[in-house]
Amino acid sequence: MSSMGEIVGTVKELWRYPVKSMVGESVDSLHIASYGAVGDRLWAVRDDNAGEITGVRKKPKLLRCSAAYREEPRGDSIPEVNITFPDGVVLSSADGELASVLSGMLGSSVSLHSLQPKSNWRHYRLSGVVGAKEIKRQFASKDLPDMSSFSWAKLAELMLFVTPLGRYYDAYPLHVLSTNSLRRMTEIEPEGDFDVRRFRPNIVIDGPEGEAGFDEFTWLGGTLSIGEALIKVETRTVRCSAPAQPQAHIGKSAKVVKALNEHTGRNMGVNATVIRTGVIKVGDAVRWTPPRKAFLSDSSAGIGARLKNTIIHSMMKSVDIVFRQK
């Protein structure tokens, strides 16, 4: 391994999602800013009845719409978007009829909102408290997902807000996925449709040809140097029911989530934060540098993670009891 890190693949695809929970755009390059990819999730749908930002977990039909910018986003600009509905109708975010058409498709009153500043914290606030039963409902699972890799600060933030203040991504700025993981899941469950679009990555890394394995999971805690940017791999990505849902040009595939549940603990891909900003392009080499040697042994770290997960699950169950969640 060189001082620059070990080459683990090349960038195969880059994606940005103009509207949260809608089908996004494949691009040749991305400008990685401190907050994530420029142009990623600058718009979101708000449930007017619930009084909070919503997404695919509660409104899966959003995935049947696709969104594209009317002009290239640059810096902090928020360009208007064109939204294509399942019937082929295209409406601009500036169109006065958009909210009505979108509400009709989803069967409830919704509206489209551009990204708001952190100071408008009420815009991001959850309408209620989220306990164990609600998490299970959103993840379409009988069991709570493993959340031990999330920091306590991140968990506290997401107990109060739908998304981090000032952003529309779920928890972390970037989502990274490898083709090797997709190949491995296809080997495990040949009847599952592991189309890359189901997992909504920002960066797709093409691993060594002919190999199949969960490469990303071995990168945890380390850094990835891609083009001008440097990112840190923070956590595995816990999957909700979204990968199984039908979306534009892709049908439903329940076996995808079932296989993930049985073989990866419901994880696929990894979340990352930004250390150094810059432009990354399709074809760029990806170099991985491992984290510094951990103070705790792997076994001790594993015990600590299990204990943390137990505490988190207990807290969520307590919320159900205190607030009498049904």
Side-chain angles (χ1 to χ4, degrees), residues 207-220:
E209 187 176 352
E211 294 187 13
F214 302 110
D215 294 1
E216 311 94 300
F217 297 167
T218 68
W219 302 338
L220 290 174

Side-chain angles (χ1 to χ4, degrees), residues 34-304:
S34 59
Y35 52 77
V38 171
D40 191 42
R41 296 171 174 87
L42 296 182
W43 296 83
V45 174
R46 185 174 177 85
D47 186 324
D48 296 330
N49 294 325
E52 67 178 29
I53 299 163
T54 191
V56 65
R57 294 177 192 171
K58 294 185 177 181
K59 306 287 185 187
K61 286 184 179 180
L62 284 170
L63 281 172
R64 300 189 182 190
C65 295
S66 58
Y69 287 112
R70 300 185 69 179
E71 60 182 59
E72 189 66 17
R74 301 183 187 281
D76 295 327
S77 69
I78 304 179
E80 298 292 336
V81 291
N82 284 337
I83 295 176
T84 303
F85 288 83
D87 60 2
V89 170
V90 180
L91 293 177
S92 164
S93 49
D95 195 310
E97 296 296 315
L98 177 65
S100 176
V101 175
L102 193 56
S103 297
M105 188 198 80
L106 297 176
S108 62
S109 179
V110 299
S111 49
L112 185 69
H113 293 261
S114 61
L115 198 65
Q116 300 294 301
K118 288 183 178 181
S119 58
N120 188 7
W121 58 269
R122 289 180 179 83
H123 177 71
Y124 298 92
R125 188 70 187 264
L126 281 161
S127 60
V129 289
V130 177
K133 291 182 179 179
E134 177 59 23
I135 291 293
K136 289 178 183 179
R137 186 179 299 117
Q138 291 184 20
F139 279 77
S141 174
K142 295 181 180 179
D143 303 308
L144 288 169
D146 185 341
M147 305 183 76
S148 60
S149 61
F150 287 85
S151 69
W152 290 110
K154 180 64 66 178
L155 287 168
E157 182 178 41
L158 297 179
M159 287 181 69
L160 296 173
F161 304 100
V162 179
T163 62
L165 289 174
R167 308 310 309 174
Y168 281 150
Y169 50 72
D170 286 341
Y172 289 91
L174 297 170
H175 178 219
V176 180
L177 183 66
S178 78
T179 56
N180 284 358
S181 286
L182 296 171
R183 282 194 284 265
R184 180 60 184 139
M185 287 308 304
T186 300
E187 290 177 354
I188 291 172
E189 179 48 85
E191 295 184 10
D193 177 17
F194 291 92
D195 189 302
V196 66
R197 292 171 290 182
R198 292 188 182 279
F199 302 97
R200 302 176 64 77
N202 295 113
I203 304 169
V204 181
I205 297 174
D206 200 12
E209 187 176 352
E211 294 187 13
F214 302 110
D215 294 1
E216 311 94 300
F217 297 167
T218 68
W219 302 338
L220 290 174
T223 59
L224 295 174
S225 176
I226 311 173
E228 299 173 346
L230 182 67
I231 64 176
K232 182 182 178 183
V233 182
E234 299 283 359
T235 71
R236 298 186 184 196
T237 304
V238 182
R239 314 309 312 204
C240 61
S241 59
Q245 299 295 337
Q247 54 179 280
H249 312 300
I250 304 177
K252 186 171 184 177
S253 182
K255 290 188 177 182
V256 167
V257 171
K258 185 175 184 293
L260 292 177
N261 199 53
E262 293 176 352
H263 299 283
T264 70
R266 206 64 177 263
N267 296 301
M268 188 71 167
V270 290
N271 300 309
T273 53
V274 180
I275 297 176
R276 185 179 66 234
T277 63
V279 176
I280 63 177
K281 300 177 181 179
V282 170
D284 279 346
V286 180
R287 295 178 180 271
W288 173 69
T289 300
R292 293 182 179 179
K293 188 174 178 62
F295 176 75
L296 295 175
S297 66
D298 290 343
S299 59
S300 296
I303 293 171

